[in-house]
Amino acid sequence: MTIFAQDWTTPFGLPPFDQIRDEDFAPAFDAALAEARANIAAIAGSAEDPTFANVIDALELAEGALDRVAGVFYNLSGADSNDAREALMRDLAPKMSAFSSEVSNNKALFARIETLWQGREGLGLTPEQLRVLTLYRQMFVRSGAQLEGEAAERLTAVKSRLAVLGTQFSQNLLADERDWFMTLDEADLEGLPEFVVTSARSAGTERDAGGPVVTLNRSLIVPFLQFSPHRALRQRAYEAWGARGANGNAHDNRVIAAEILALRQERAQLLGYASFADYKLEPEMAKTPAAVRDLLMRVWQPARAKAEEDAAVLEAMLHADGIAGPLEPWDWRYYSEKRRRAEHDLDEAALKPYLSLDAMLAAQFDCANRLFGLEFREIEGPFYHPEVRGWEVTRNGAHVAVFLGDYFARGSKRSGAWCSAMRSQRKLGGAVRPIVVNVCNFAKGDPALLSYDDARTLFHEFGHALHQMLSDVTYGFISGTSVARDFVELPSQLYEHWLEVPAVLEQHARHWQTGEPMPAEMLKRLLAASTYDQGFSTVEFVASALVDLAFHEGPAPADPMQKQAEVLEGLGMPRAIRMRHATPHFAHIFTGDGYSSGYYSYMWSEVMDADAFAAFEETGDAFDPATAARLEKFILSAGGSEAAEDLYLQFRGKMPGVEALLKGRGLLEEV
Ligand SMILES: [Zn+2]
């Protein structure tokens, strides 16, 4: 019997990390999967008439053992991996996906859910139960539970071909990114900051190039385009970057993209939808392609106007350098960086001592205290790694959650930053309070000092953590962050706004040695820099999102490149800006289904977070208690218990407008 099958007598029921051994995971998963299968077979095969309790409640509790081991394992495999954990990840992937398709293809189980759904009016369900039933049924229907015979077989074939094509698209992209590099002479290093030179040299060593090189890795090519004064080199690098996946070699993605779009269209039609976008957007807050287009176009117009204004300034700088002709895409970042240094220069090295990790943690906890009355008391481990810190979260003396922070980069951690729940909140079957983890990749130091971007990341992930910790629902299926994709970034992006409240940095951004507050001039520059070059970023983003939508909205285009060209032409794409992700390397939408006809969702969330923060600003108090109480009641504690638009309406009293976003991005003059 592994530790996962025993009762945990640890404080707060934390996993007993010091007793978990890597060799426990495989048998624990096997046992948990067998238990889940037996539970589901019993639910599907029950001789009793279906009731909410014997179908939905039972399904909610059927995978308890699996949740327990998976909650620990998937956190460890992302935050602190090793060879054994990686090998197990590979073994588990097909096992877990087989299990989930077994459940969604279980006809007897679906029949019981369908019976409940058809008779839902007479079941005396609470609104939350009705919502959970609706979502379960929707999940089954959307994966094809209502299809029979040939149509069901064809859907399975389409899905598996799409999985193959998605992997191929991603591998082609990797191959093109790996193959290309441009060697630099010592003279070509002119103008490049030390960190770019260092990474160009180490990339050269890695490729045996006999000198520094530029590669297509974003973290190298973007700073090269920003800093290199050599226009011809910038052009060569930029064009190679833009040609990924479209080089006419064995890794060309253009034909694959066309096949993917055609198969998605077929998949949507098999399931009874007019287009793939209609299928994808149904469970989202946006709901329809028209709503997405409307939002994007309202942002597009002012963004394009701002970008054209900026292009004129940058083109004048190009001409002042003695170069004739128009500003080109390989010029934008270079002249924009020059202009940024002149107008907004911030000395990162002078800034960081005011942003120690401890000071920013105090700031994030203090904001949560002022808004929601939460208190944080640091607790002792053992946790899963010596660098992990833990806090007990309480309110008025009552336990709310355990919060873990794992902040430093290390070899065993994947890149990026994320929030996950090792245990989610629910009330069914006995109250369960959450254990929530924030994982970041900050540079270690003594003390650790953050950049302003790092501090934003810290607040962002903590916003997700609040969504989990304040969750107050009965069913785990809709707990915490289990909400629509275009709604899930609202709490996190919203929380970033409190970092921009001047009083927060005035109070907490203190020099770690002297305790002095950040100089007022530095604070002003810092807060002003956030709107810099937003015309460019918004245009390159929105253009990509509109092309994504056009690909999935009508009949699948036979030639996606032609379609892309038509969309951009129709938009009046500024000459010196290209799509953030052109079709042959648009991994978000072609390597899987996550963001297909969903690339807009980043912008959608941003519209909402700006509008939601405006609700606080309109009261004249960024910590207004009544607004904070509504935020908690209708958004942070509500999980997916109601449709996202209903939750937002109850919080705000109206649907979000784009004005606050445009203002926040500096695309609209203050009115
Ligand atoms: Zn996020």
Side-chain angles (χ1 to χ4, degrees), residues 39 102 167 171 230 234 358 371 383 485 493 498 652:
N39 289 341
E102 237 173 82
T167 307
Q171 286 173 347
H230 298 287
R234 289 200 311 263
D358 280 338
L371 290 162
F383 305 119
R485 181 185 298 279
Q493 294 182 177
W498 278 284
R652 184 69 164 117

Side-chain angles (χ1 to χ4, degrees), residues 303-585:
R304 179 174 176 276
K306 182 72 170 70
E308 293 288 14
E309 215 175 88
D310 289 337
V313 174
L314 302 183
E315 192 167 274
M317 292 169 74
L318 174 83
H319 294 166
D321 273 356
I323 301 168
L327 185 79
E328 298 287 357
W330 43 91
D331 297 322
W332 191 291
R333 287 180 172 81
Y334 176 72
Y335 287 101
S336 169
E337 174 62 25
K338 247 186 157 171
R339 183 183 176 197
R340 190 190 66 78
R341 283 201 302 272
E343 292 177 10
H344 295 284
D345 201 17
L346 259 177
D347 182 353
E348 278 269 325
L351 178 66
K352 281 182 147 192
Y354 295 94
L355 304 177
S356 71
L357 174 61
D358 280 338
M360 292 301 99
L361 284 172
Q364 85 174 7
F365 291 150
D366 184 37
C367 290
N369 178 263
R370 294 177 67 179
L371 290 162
F372 311 114
L374 297 177
E375 293 183 272
F376 298 82
R377 177 180 66 87
E378 188 147 10
I379 54 176
E380 292 296 314
F383 305 119
Y384 61 86
H385 188 278
E387 285 169 358
V388 178
R389 293 167 70 181
W391 290 266
E392 189 198 3
V393 187
T394 58
R395 178 157 54 188
N396 302 324
H399 178 79
V400 172
V402 172
F403 174 69
L404 303 182
D406 179 359
Y407 292 116
F408 301 124
R410 56 176 175 262
S412 63
K413 195 187 273 188
R414 71 175 161 86
S415 61
W418 65 93
C419 171
S420 56
M422 224 173 251
R423 187 173 73 204
S424 297
Q425 183 273 333
R426 67 173 150 82
K427 291 182 222 164
L428 185 73
V432 175
R433 292 309 311 172
I435 301 170
V436 182
V437 197
N438 274 179
V439 184
C440 300
N441 267 288
F442 302 145
K444 232 179 286 184
D446 191 18
L449 302 177
L450 305 187
S451 69
Y452 187 63
D453 271 352
D454 291 340
R456 285 181 78 108
T457 301
L458 186 77
F459 269 59
H460 179 101
E461 299 309 333
F462 193 67
H464 285 306
L466 287 169
H467 203 185
Q468 298 279 17
M469 296 193 292
L470 289 171
S471 179
D472 186 26
V473 297
T474 302
Y475 296 93
F477 195 64
I478 50 155
S479 174
T481 53
S482 304
V483 297
R485 181 185 298 279
D486 57 4
F487 191 68
V488 74
E489 294 299 327
L490 169 61
S492 51
Q493 294 182 177
L494 175 59
Y495 207 67
E496 292 177 35
H497 287 271
W498 278 284
L499 185 61
E500 287 171 9
V501 172
V504 171
L505 287 178
E506 279 163 13
Q507 183 186 345
H508 292 283
R510 291 179 176 271
H511 198 285
W512 69 276
Q513 279 166 310
T514 64
E516 289 291 314
M518 182 183 287
E521 177 59 25
M522 186 186 272
L523 183 61
K524 215 175 103 195
R525 276 178 170 253
L526 177 63
L527 297 177
S530 65
T531 60
Y532 184 67
D533 216 12
Q534 289 295 313
F536 172 86
S537 322
T538 312
V539 160
E540 62 159 15
F541 177 88
V542 173
S544 295
L546 284 165
V547 168
D548 167 35
L549 185 67
F551 278 165
H552 296 103
E553 206 181 344
D559 181 352
M561 296 306 285
Q562 171 70 24
K563 182 80 180 177
Q564 171 186 307
E566 283 166 22
V567 173
L568 297 179
E569 163 134 31
L571 283 172
M573 186 74 172
R575 173 194 173 91
I577 306 180
R578 294 199 183 147
M579 291 167 69
R580 185 168 168 85
H581 308 285
T583 302
H585 49 261

